Amino acid sequence: MNRIARIAAGAAALLAAPVPAFASAQAAATTVTTCGWSGLQAGLSTKVCADVTGNSVVLYGQIGLAGPPSPGTPWPPAPQELLTRLTADVAGGNSLGAVNGRTVFQISTVRVDGITATVPCGSTVHASFSVESFYRGPSPVTVDVPVVC
């Protein structure tokens, strides 16, 4: 068998080989991100999101600017110290936890991490995120996420 024939036979054998098991496992572990509606809190835009991979759920809040500054507003805005609260539970079931914290927001979107949990397949996770400042109270945003395994 000449050299070109051996190379062609080797290539054909590789193409006919079965797909390794780890490749199909990676395809099954797809992460789906779901975010709730944005809300206005403390003059900012906030939302709560969930990353679901199988039956693992990662919940976090996001804080961003509510819109462009009004004419005459000093730029960049002064940093704001915010109180944050992220809570989650399985609908009709147990609490997944609550995280209270402080964060400083100025211009760039801030991600507030907090809750990671493993939940039963077929359940729905309900999460709530709120921010407040010294002069404005909270107005929570929510998301309900089905956990489909």
Side-chain angles (χ1 to χ4, degrees):
M1 183 181 267
N2 69 20
R3 183 174 170 193
I4 293 178
R6 281 193 300 243
I7 292 172
L14 285 174
L15 291 175
V19 176
F22 69 86
S24 61
Q26 288 176 340
T30 302
T31 299
V32 177
T33 301
T34 305
C35 295
W37 295 100
S38 295
L40 298 177
Q41 300 181 60
L44 302 169
S45 174
T46 59
K47 64 182 170 181
V48 61
C49 300
D51 291 341
V52 179
T53 307
N55 66 339
S56 176
V57 181
V58 176
L59 299 157
Y60 56 94
Q62 288 184 329
I63 306 167
L65 288 174
S70 301
T73 302
W75 193 259
Q80 298 180 48
E81 183 173 354
L82 304 170
L83 302 174
T84 61
R85 179 166 176 79
L86 178 65
T87 62
D89 57 53
V90 175
N94 296 332
S95 170
L96 298 177
V99 178
N100 297 311
R102 294 179 183 267
T103 191
V104 175
F105 177 82
Q106 186 168 13
I107 298 172
S108 300
T109 299
V110 174
R111 178 175 160 151
V112 179
D113 290 312
I115 299 173
T116 300
T118 301
V119 298
C121 294
S123 59
T124 299
V125 173
H126 174 79
S128 174
F129 177 65
S130 66
V131 300
E132 61 184 295
S133 63
F134 178 72
Y135 55 93
R136 292 197 179 129
S139 178
V141 290
T142 62
V143 68
D144 292 309
V145 181
V147 178
V148 182
C149 303

